[in-house]
Amino acid sequence: MRSFCKISTAGTLFCALLCASVPALASDLTGLIQQRYEKLQSFSASFEQTLTHKESGSVEKRQGTLLFQKPLLIRWQTAKPHAETLVVTAREIWDYLPDEEVAYRYPPSLAQDSRSIIQVITGQAVLTQDFEVKDEGLENGLAKLRLYPREPAPQMVEALIWVEPGSGYIRRASIVDFYGNINDVRFTEFKPDARSKASDFSFTPPKGVEVEDRIDQAVPEKELFK
């Protein structure tokens, strides 16, 4: 039986246009995302995070808030029972674990890789340059894109993002690492161009808290924002 695309000249043309539109959709949407986040100066968000460990099958859920301001100022806080505060500035990253009464200090380069969850969820990852992008259609009203890093790293071998088709804002990201573990972050509230204070992006370890300085350490004890 002949395929639909061989039925007629018109059918062949329609099929060609249909097939060509699939990568075009992904390309158009990634272009919209890049344009949107080039203009966006800041945002605030509430999020739900789900961490799935492949080997053990364990699933851990967290809730928190995120403040972002260009060029790369971040305040990420998760609530109990997994309380944690991460503050990223141009000079350093602070990772404060109040239950353990310890604060780690890391170099800012750890938050500057396009393949990190924080770069993806804040729209700073360079999708058109660092990833191959595949259109996955619509899901619950959001456009779904699958990302394959051109240079895979242990923290990411592939990712999914869900985007508002009209605005280009990323509302959810799911990162798969080399071991098959999944870090899924979904915004439950998102406010573009939200106002923030300088104090939101500063951190001073509370009195009595142990400080572990890892500013010269390329690899942290654990992956940040996880």
Side-chain angles (χ1 to χ4, degrees):
M1 183 175 68
R2 294 181 300 173
S3 68
F4 172 77
C5 291
K6 294 180 180 178
I7 290 176
S8 65
T9 302
T12 302
L13 179 60
F14 173 78
C15 185
L17 291 173
L18 180 63
C19 294
S21 70
V22 174
L25 289 174
S27 176
D28 291 347
L29 188 53
T30 53
L32 173 63
I33 295 168
Q34 299 292 173
Q35 292 174 13
R36 175 62 67 194
Y37 282 91
E38 283 175 4
K39 296 178 181 178
L40 184 69
Q41 295 301 307
S42 65
F43 71 79
S44 65
S46 299
F47 66 83
E48 293 179 348
Q49 182 179 33
T50 302
L51 302 169
T52 305
H53 190 270
K54 183 176 181 180
E55 185 175 349
S56 67
S58 64
V59 177
E60 183 179 304
K61 294 185 179 294
R62 300 182 179 188
Q63 293 183 327
T65 57
L66 171 62
L67 290 177
F68 168 79
Q69 181 176 300
K70 281 186 174 179
L72 190 62
L73 299 176
I74 293 165
R75 187 178 190 90
W76 165 287
Q77 286 187 286
T78 53
K80 287 183 176 296
H82 308 289
E84 182 176 14
T85 299
L86 276 151
V87 178
V88 179
T89 71
R91 295 178 52 201
E92 60 199 2
I93 298 174
W94 283 102
D95 184 10
Y96 173 46
L97 304 171
D99 292 343
E100 299 178 24
E101 297 185 339
V102 61
Y104 296 92
R105 180 172 174 255
Y106 294 112
S109 58
L110 295 179
Q112 294 168 354
D113 191 319
S114 271
R115 297 161 297 187
S116 67
I117 183 72
I118 198 64
Q119 283 275 326
V120 173
I121 205 70
T122 59
Q124 303 311 295
V126 188
L127 302 182
T128 54
Q129 176 180 311
D130 296 337
F131 298 89
E132 293 181 9
V133 183
K134 179 182 177 183
D135 180 20
E136 295 280 339
L138 289 175
E139 184 176 295
N140 298 323
L142 297 176
K144 186 177 178 182
L145 296 176
R146 190 176 297 272
L147 312 179
Y148 297 99
R150 297 187 188 279
E151 295 183 11
Q155 72 268 25
M156 181 197 288
V157 294
E158 70 174 283
L160 285 165
I161 59 173
W162 288 258
V163 183
E164 291 180 353
S167 69
Y169 289 129
I170 298 168
R171 298 307 302 265
R172 179 183 172 192
S174 184
I175 308 298
V176 183
D177 70 15
F178 176 78
Y179 303 100
N181 304 317
I182 300 172
N183 185 359
D184 189 295
V185 176
R186 181 175 67 88
F187 289 148
T188 55
E189 185 179 28
F190 183 86
K191 295 180 179 179
D193 296 314
R195 291 187 177 183
S196 57
K197 308 182 295 295
S199 59
D200 292 329
F201 305 106
S202 65
F203 177 81
T204 302
K207 187 176 180 180
V209 167
E210 179 184 359
V211 174
E212 294 285 345
D213 199 325
R214 300 286 190 269
I215 200 71
D216 297 320
Q217 184 171 324
V219 180
E221 291 81 356
K222 68 180 187 67
E223 189 177 338
L224 301 179
F225 307 100
K226 190 172 182 179

